[in-house]
């Protein structure tokens, strides 16, 4: 027991500074190999999603092939069943062990395993990992050796989890730092091509990848557009439009929003042969892709690839998704800002053109801003506007206050001022007619109004009414019968003397009714006229 404790203390001291879980596992295997003089030692963890043993650390004596890779739990039955129960598996001779069937004996023979000792580790009642040593020749394992493997398995698991937690914390801090750097770099950019270019450049450098590019998808045309990418020297750019209409299964895969992690195209069956051939032709051997689906619509993918076989970690997956989300957000923000700038530019052009008068107003009567056309219209200058001297409630004549208040109440409810006409004061006290309309632009009630000076139109209308009234009075004063008809004889205008003389009423004269008042001898001439 003393030697066991001494060995475990030495192991803890050796692995204390190790940062990677695989380094901890490999150290345990190496120390166990040297302590027991065995041919092989390995640390395997259980991936329950695939029900496989995954070798995390493995060492072997000179001339002996180390055990690496992934192995189905079912392939190690009935030993796997013992591990799930937390029982160590002790095999002194694989050729004669009664628990193994012929398939298991054949497998151990192919792997050159004569004796086996494996101790499981359970967490929460579930098998998590196995520490195993193997001998090419049969071997009688002592109780001390069995105890050493079992105790070291527990200690190794604790140290692996410690290293994994520390690695996850470091990865989280590094990821957070990188994402902050990315956000700072993207913040001043508004063009989508610049945003994509900077995001892919930073990420490619960070991951030391061969390619990095951001694809915007159009599901209708089955095309993806790459505005700008980042590549390692010597690799081709993938900027441009990519037609994937011939591989609809690929789009179906992307629509799931699942992370695509391809370590080696040659051995990956998740993509169609056509798509693998397409990427392989470009030089791809590995790829990691994060896809964004917004409101059930495929919008974009962010991809890093390499010309070499490469296994990307779960930390890389989390980082890629974070960069994809931030890139998408920056692109959308940039496009919205550019659209706003274009809109503001158009509005500014209209406002500065002087074609229409524009004023920004509040609900309490203030006019907070206005263009020169409005100031010229009301006779104030910009200094007086900025001082607060220009107010719509003071510019409105008393007889128009009630109608103005009705427009304000409608504005509070609907956010719009329906076009209406009223008079306004100029600074010198003169009045002019304006056509007013407006819309709310701020949550606090501030709005913008467009004002057209319709004074000349109003004067023309008044002059026309006055002219028509004078004409009517003249018609009534003339001491003769006056009437007029439209070219088709349908519409008739006449004076009161006609009605008195003929005895007709005004409706009687319409639709050729006036012919009833014509002497029969004059009808032919009247009709011709």
């Amino acid at each position: 027991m003393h030697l066991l404790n001494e060995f475990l203390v030495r192991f803890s001291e050796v692995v204390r500074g190790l940062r990677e879980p695989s380094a901890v596992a490999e150290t345990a295997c190496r120390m166990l190999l040297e302590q027991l003089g065995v041919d092989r030692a390995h640390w395997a963890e259980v991936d329950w999603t695939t029900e496989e043993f995954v070798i995390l650390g493995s060492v072997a004596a000179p001339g002996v092939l180390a055990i690496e890779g992934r192995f189905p739990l079912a392939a190690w039955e009935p030993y796997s069943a013992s591990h799930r129960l937390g029982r160590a598996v002790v095999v002194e001779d694989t050729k004669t062990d009664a628990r193994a069937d012929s398939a298991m004996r054949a497998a151990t023979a192919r792997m050159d395993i004569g004796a086996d000792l494996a101790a499981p580790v359970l967490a929460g009642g579930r098998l998590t990992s196995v520490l195993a040593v193997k001998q090419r020749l049969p071997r009688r394992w002592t109780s001390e050796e069995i105890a050493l493997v079992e105790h070291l398995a527990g200690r190794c698991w604790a140290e692996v989890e410690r290293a994994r937690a520390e690695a996850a914390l470091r990865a989280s801090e590094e990821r957070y730092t990188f994402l902050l750097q990315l956000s700072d770099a993207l913040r001043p950019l508004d063009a989508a091509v610049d945003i994509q270019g900077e995001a892919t450049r930073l990420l490619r450098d960070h991951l030391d990848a061969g390619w990095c590019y951001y694809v915007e998808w159009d599901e209708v045309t089955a095309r993806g557009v790459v505005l700008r990418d980042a590549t390692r020297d010597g690799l081709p750019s993938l900027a441009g439009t990519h037609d994937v209409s011939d591989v609809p299964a690929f789009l179906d895969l992307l629509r799931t929003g699942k992370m695509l992690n391809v370590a080696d195209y040659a051995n990956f069956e998740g993509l169609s042969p056509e798509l693998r051939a397409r990427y392989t032709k470009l030089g791809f051997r590995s790829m990691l892709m994060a896809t964004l689906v917004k409101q059930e619509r495929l919008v974009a993918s962010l991809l890093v690839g390499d010309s070499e076989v490469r296994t990307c970690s779960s930390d890389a997956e989390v980082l890629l998704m974070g960069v994809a989300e931030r890139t998408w957000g920056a692109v959308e923000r940039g496009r919205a800002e550019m659209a706003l700038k274009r809109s503001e530019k158009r509005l500014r052009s209209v406002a500065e053109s002087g074609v229409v008068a524009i004023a920004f107003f509040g609900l309490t009567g203030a006019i907070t801003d206005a263009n020169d056309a409005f100031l010229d219209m009301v006779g104030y200058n910009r200094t007086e506007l900025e001082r607060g001297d220009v107010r719509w409630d003071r510019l409105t004549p008393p007889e128009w206050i009630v109608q103005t208040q009705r427009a304000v109440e409608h504005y509070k409810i609907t956010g719009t001022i329906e076009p209406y006409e009223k008079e306004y004061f100029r600074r010198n006290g003169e009045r002019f007619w304006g056509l007013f309309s407006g819309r709310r632009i701020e949550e606090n009630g501030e709005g913008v109004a467009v004002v057209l000076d319709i004074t000349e139109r109003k004067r023309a209308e008044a002059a026309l009414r006055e002219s028509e009234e004078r004409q009517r009075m003249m018609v009534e004063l003339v001491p003769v019968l006056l009437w007029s008809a439209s070219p088709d004889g349908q519409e008739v205008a006449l004076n009161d003397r006609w009605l008195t003389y003929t005895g007709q009423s005004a409706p009687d004269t319409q639709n050729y009714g006036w012919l009833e008042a014509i002497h029969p001898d004059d009808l032919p001439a009247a009709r011709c006229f």
Side-chain angles (χ1 to χ4, degrees), residues 2-73:
H2 175 71
L3 293 176
L4 172 62
N5 289 334
E6 198 175 77
F7 180 86
L8 294 176
V9 169
R10 184 158 54 91
F11 166 74
S12 296
E13 291 175 348
V14 170
V15 301
R16 183 173 296 121
L18 298 181
R19 295 162 60 92
E20 298 298 327
S22 58
V24 174
E26 190 168 317
T27 299
C29 294
R30 181 175 293 107
M31 291 181 65
L32 199 56
L33 184 95
E34 295 170 354
Q35 181 72 18
L36 299 181
V38 293
D39 296 322
R40 299 186 184 98
H42 66 259
W43 174 266
E45 296 184 328
V46 180
D47 182 350
W48 284 108
T49 60
T50 59
E51 296 193 357
E52 292 177 312
F53 285 118
V54 182
I55 305 300
L56 182 66
S58 181
V59 296
V64 180
L65 189 65
I67 296 176
E68 296 177 338
R70 304 173 73 98
F71 302 91
L73 269 68

Side-chain angles (χ1 to χ4, degrees), residues 88-362:
V89 172
V90 181
V91 180
E92 296 181 346
D93 189 344
T94 57
K95 294 180 180 179
T96 61
D97 188 70
R99 293 167 294 182
D101 57 18
S102 58
M104 174 61 73
R105 291 189 184 123
T108 53
R110 284 195 303 272
M111 299 175 71
D112 199 17
I113 300 174
D116 189 8
L117 171 57
V121 177
L122 274 65
R126 195 177 196 188
L127 178 64
T128 64
S129 46
V130 173
L131 177 62
V133 292
K134 303 185 186 301
Q135 190 77 29
R136 299 172 68 187
L137 299 175
R139 173 170 176 165
R140 183 178 296 279
W141 303 101
T142 67
S143 58
E144 289 80 7
E145 291 171 336
I146 296 171
L148 175 61
V149 174
E150 289 180 328
H151 281 80
L152 182 58
R155 186 67 60 89
C156 182
W157 176 81
E159 292 293 345
V160 164
E161 290 303 302
R162 183 267 309 162
R164 183 167 282 130
E166 292 177 355
L169 179 59
R170 286 194 305 274
S172 176
E173 292 173 345
E174 291 173 2
R175 184 168 62 250
Y176 180 72
T177 300
F178 177 81
L179 292 176
L180 279 180
Q181 177 190 0
L182 175 69
S183 297
D184 290 341
L186 299 185
R187 188 171 295 113
L189 305 177
D190 53 17
V193 61
D194 295 332
I195 292 170
Q196 293 181 23
E198 185 65 7
T200 55
R201 182 189 68 80
L202 290 172
L203 185 59
R204 194 206 72 78
D205 290 347
H206 183 73
L207 296 179
D208 191 26
W211 289 271
C212 183
Y213 57 96
Y214 181 89
V215 190
E216 294 184 288
W217 294 108
D218 183 340
E219 292 187 89
V220 176
T221 62
R223 285 178 170 83
V225 177
V226 179
L227 298 179
R228 185 178 294 168
D229 62 353
T231 62
R232 186 183 294 145
D233 290 343
L235 295 179
S237 170
L238 295 175
T241 300
H242 300 265
D243 188 345
V244 293
S245 58
D246 58 333
V247 281
F250 179 57
L251 282 178
D252 291 338
L253 176 63
L254 296 182
R255 289 187 187 100
T256 66
K258 294 180 180 178
M259 183 72 61
L260 189 61
N261 194 338
V262 183
D264 184 3
Y265 272 108
N267 300 307
F268 186 72
E269 300 297 329
L271 297 175
S272 67
E274 296 86 357
L275 201 61
R276 276 185 287 164
R278 182 177 301 180
Y279 278 106
T280 302
K281 185 178 180 180
L282 294 170
F284 275 80
R285 284 299 303 275
S286 57
M287 178 177 70
L288 181 64
M289 180 187 290
T291 297
L292 302 178
V293 178
K294 303 291 183 180
Q295 297 179 343
E296 301 183 352
R297 184 175 66 87
L298 174 63
V299 294
S301 296
L302 180 62
L303 183 148
V304 291
D306 214 319
S307 55
E308 300 176 354
V309 174
R310 180 170 179 174
T311 300
C312 293
S313 66
S314 58
D315 290 329
E317 292 182 357
V318 174
L319 175 64
L320 189 68
M321 183 57 73
V323 175
E325 289 285 359
R326 281 164 175 77
T327 303
W328 175 80
V331 168
E332 293 299 301
R333 181 263 307 161
R335 284 178 174 150
E337 289 179 353
M338 291 186 72
L340 179 60
K341 288 178 181 178
R342 288 193 297 269
S343 177
E344 290 176 342
K345 183 178 180 181
R346 288 195 296 268
L347 179 60
R348 188 163 53 251
S349 297
V350 173
E352 294 174 354
S353 68
V355 175
V356 295
I358 297 175
F360 296 86
F361 63 90

